[in-house]
Amino acid sequence: MLKNFSIRQKVIAAFGAVVAVLIIIWASFYMNFSRIVSANDWNVHTYQVIDESRALVESLVNMETGLRGFALSGDDAMLAPYTSGQAAFTEHLNKAKALTSDNPAQQARLDKLLQQEQQWTTSFAQTLLANRSAQATGTMTPEAFLAAFRANTGKAQMDSMRAVIMEVSGEEQSLLGARTNNLGQPIGWPVNDWTAPLRPPREPMQGRWCRVEPLEERFAPELLAANALDAD
């Protein structure tokens, strides 16, 4: 078929074939790169949820620490961790809910966590605060205060909240482990301060085994000759 073409037509056809191959290679690279970027974006999202989970645990610890300190001393200053912990819990719970708005299972866990925290506050924290204040004013004896505290230490409820937070974090870890790049390799932590490399200059580059040059029209005869060697 090529025998019926003029030299000019053959050169144009060869150049067009090269351009078509380059377009296919570029399209394949773009799709693969887009998949990698998308996977990395989801991984960053996952790590953000995990960080919020850790912050939720920390806020619970602060709340518990503040309450126990106040129970022991009766000093209102000891309630500072409890107060800051309450604010932090609300903040990080809202952030976690916003980050997982596309995941109904995570939303259900966080809703459950909120209900547990509210129940813990009502049945344990507020009761403890009221009893300690009553002891300070003399309307409750120290023995009665200790008996009430031993009857409800709040530990079981706190452990239940931590368990739910672990479920949230575990779900994100599972999603992280399921994500791979286009080569089937697991995608881990993002590289901080990474920037895309610069495009190579349009000038010849000499390597150890080969020489790379920008595609130019002067290469058309050689490409045509190489193509002609293909019997098919």
Side-chain angles (χ1 to χ4, degrees):
M1 181 177 179
L2 290 176
K3 294 180 180 180
N4 298 326
F5 286 4
S6 65
I7 296 297
R8 177 180 174 81
Q9 289 174 324
K10 290 179 179 179
V11 170
I12 293 174
F15 187 77
V18 172
V19 172
V21 170
L22 290 176
I23 291 174
I24 294 173
I25 293 174
W26 178 86
S28 176
F29 168 81
Y30 178 79
M31 289 188 297
N32 289 335
F33 183 75
S34 297
R35 284 197 293 266
I36 293 173
V37 169
S38 177
N40 279 328
D41 287 343
W42 277 111
N43 282 350
V44 171
H45 173 274
T46 294
Y47 291 126
Q48 289 174 332
V49 177
I50 293 174
D51 285 341
E52 294 304 324
S53 299
R54 293 170 179 166
L56 283 169
V57 172
E58 181 180 350
S59 67
L60 291 180
V61 171
N62 287 337
M63 292 163 66
E64 190 175 35
T65 300
L67 279 178
R68 292 184 181 276
F70 177 72
L72 290 172
S73 66
D75 185 356
D76 289 343
M78 299 298 294
L79 287 175
Y82 172 72
T83 304
S84 63
Q86 281 184 311
F89 179 87
T90 300
E91 176 187 353
H92 294 296
L93 181 68
N94 289 336
K95 287 183 179 180
K97 284 183 68 67
L99 288 168
T100 59
S101 59
D102 60 333
N103 191 325
Q106 293 288 60
Q107 291 285 294
R109 292 186 183 101
L110 293 171
D111 288 340
K112 179 181 179 181
L113 178 63
L114 176 59
Q115 293 174 358
Q116 289 176 321
E117 190 272 337
Q118 291 173 340
Q119 184 179 5
W120 176 83
T121 299
T122 302
S123 64
F124 173 70
Q126 292 180 355
T127 300
L128 180 64
L129 292 173
N131 289 346
R132 191 62 177 85
S133 297
Q135 182 187 346
T137 58
T139 57
M140 175 179 273
T141 65
E143 292 76 16
F145 172 78
L146 288 174
F149 178 75
R150 288 168 180 164
N152 179 17
T153 62
K155 183 179 182 304
Q157 293 165 306
M158 188 63 68
D159 288 344
S160 296
M161 286 189 282
R162 289 193 181 100
V164 172
I165 295 174
M166 290 300 295
E167 289 178 8
V168 173
S169 180
E171 170 76 7
E172 296 300 322
Q173 293 285 358
S174 298
L175 293 173
L176 187 65
R179 296 191 188 111
T180 57
N181 62 16
N182 61 312
L183 299 178
Q185 300 166 329
I187 299 176
W189 291 90
V191 179
N192 294 328
D193 301 325
W194 181 87
T195 56
L198 298 175
R199 282 189 172 187
R202 286 190 57 81
E203 60 185 35
M205 293 187 295
Q206 183 65 51
R208 182 177 180 181
W209 304 108
C210 67
R211 175 183 174 89
V212 179
E213 296 189 23
L215 183 63
E216 297 178 359
E217 186 175 351
R218 61 189 176 90
F219 295 126
E222 295 179 11
L223 292 171
L224 178 62
N227 186 65
L229 295 176
D230 186 358
D232 295 331

